[in-house]
Amino acid sequence: MSARYLIRLDDACDTMRRDNWSRVEEVLQAHGVQPIAAVIPDNRDPSLQLEPPDPGFWDKVAGWVRKGWSVALHGHTHLMRPTDARLVLPFYSRSEFGGLPLSLQCEKIRAAWSIFGAHGVDPRIWVAPAHSFDLDTLRAVHLETPIRLISDGIACDTFRAHGFDWIPQQLWSFAERPFGLWTVCLHPNTMRAADIDALDRSLGGRYRGRVVGVADLPMRARRRSVRDRLFEIYFWRRWRRAARRRQ
């Protein structure tokens, strides 16, 4: 199997479930894995108010950078609002950014970027909360930051579009694939002890040596191929069927 995998950890913030994050970090370090950590700079999402604010949070983020983790700007406040805007990825009908005027999106991105800067952290990846953003969000990121890399999109490998390099994100748990690059998105805040143990077994077993970091990826000026588009059709059909079953 020639498939490679990348791990992304979502919803790092100063009120995250710290024991879970520490356990996941220990597992990744034991296997030499350098993930993407999607950091919310000014979390105001009540569902992520899991512990009292950690005064050492930004020191922890800086420590991840020193370990070679790739830190991503994960929105601004993570507060969602309903929207019927045309989103780049139609996962949900809610977004922190999609549907807002470009000027307001720029204001939010600028505020988020300044918080990272105040703590000496330089994110190089954009991760939209709930995968929900529109083309104006991309314009705002381009205008207000030097970020030119996005962790999202449905494809079989990295590609370039809208002035950004994209690392596709298509999985929420490990699954065998015959080829390509597959980002596994994990949420340490909601992982159970059994989930973390399963991650440890996966990294030490079937997927040993097959998990890469962002620094290992050559970015090419590649447009999405016919295979990518066929996979995208298949992906959205499965997603919609699953969504109907959840209703």
Side-chain angles (χ1 to χ4, degrees):
M1 297 289 184
S2 61
R4 300 161 296 159
Y5 298 84
L6 191 153
I7 291 177
R8 191 178 99 189
L9 308 177
D10 274 15
D11 299 338
C13 59
D14 64 348
T15 57
M16 65 191 184
R17 200 175 300 282
R18 293 192 278 279
D19 284 349
N20 276 24
W21 278 84
S22 293
R23 285 201 60 206
V24 170
E25 183 173 352
E26 289 170 4
V27 167
L28 297 181
Q29 185 165 335
H31 295 285
V33 173
Q34 297 175 325
I36 295 172
V39 175
I40 307 166
D42 183 18
N43 176 51
R44 300 184 193 178
D45 183 342
S47 71
L48 295 174
Q49 302 287 342
L50 301 169
E51 295 193 25
D54 178 6
F57 172 69
W58 287 100
D59 290 335
K60 182 181 293 291
V61 175
W64 293 341
V65 174
R66 289 193 295 273
K67 287 183 177 183
W69 290 26
S70 297
V71 170
L73 194 160
H74 191 35
H76 177 212
T77 65
H78 209 272
L79 279 176
M80 308 288 170
R81 30 173 278 288
T83 182
D84 57 3
R86 184 181 179 86
L87 301 176
V88 175
L89 300 169
F91 279 98
Y92 308 107
S93 56
R94 65 181 189 271
S95 178
E96 181 181 355
F97 293 88
L100 294 177
L102 175 60
S103 59
L104 184 52
Q105 295 205 45
C106 284
E107 181 181 321
K108 287 175 65 63
I109 296 293
R110 188 161 57 247
W113 180 261
S114 69
I115 293 170
F116 276 89
H119 293 283
V121 178
D122 189 17
R124 290 296 176 184
I125 304 172
W126 166 253
V127 172
H131 313 272
S132 298
F133 59 99
D134 59 18
L135 291 178
D136 274 347
T137 313
L138 299 181
R139 295 185 185 102
V141 173
H142 203 284
L143 287 168
E144 301 294 339
T145 80
I147 292 174
R148 299 295 181 266
L149 182 58
I150 295 172
S151 170
D152 228 325
I154 309 303
C156 300
D157 211 327
T158 60
F159 62 95
R160 189 167 295 170
H162 306 294
F164 291 87
D165 289 309
W166 297 63
I167 300 172
Q169 196 276 293
Q170 325 93 320
L171 296 175
W172 286 263
S173 61
F174 277 101
E176 193 62 68
R177 295 291 184 264
F179 56 81
L181 174 69
W182 305 86
T183 300
V184 181
C185 180
L186 303 176
H187 294 78
N189 289 316
T190 57
M191 291 176 74
R192 301 164 301 170
D195 299 325
I196 299 173
D197 290 342
L199 173 65
D200 189 18
R201 290 193 299 273
S202 292
L203 293 176
R206 170 174 287 189
Y207 300 96
R208 182 182 181 89
R210 300 168 66 188
V211 179
V212 300
V214 173
D216 302 313
L217 301 177
M219 298 300 167
R220 302 163 290 156
R222 186 184 82 92
R223 300 177 66 179
R224 289 195 306 157
S225 66
V226 171
R227 183 165 66 181
D228 292 318
R229 296 183 185 282
L230 290 173
F231 171 69
E232 182 180 35
I233 293 169
Y234 164 77
F235 178 93
W236 289 119
R237 284 178 177 170
R238 286 194 62 192
W239 176 266
R240 293 183 186 106
R241 283 199 298 268
R244 286 194 293 270
R245 288 196 296 270
R246 291 193 294 267
Q247 291 175 350

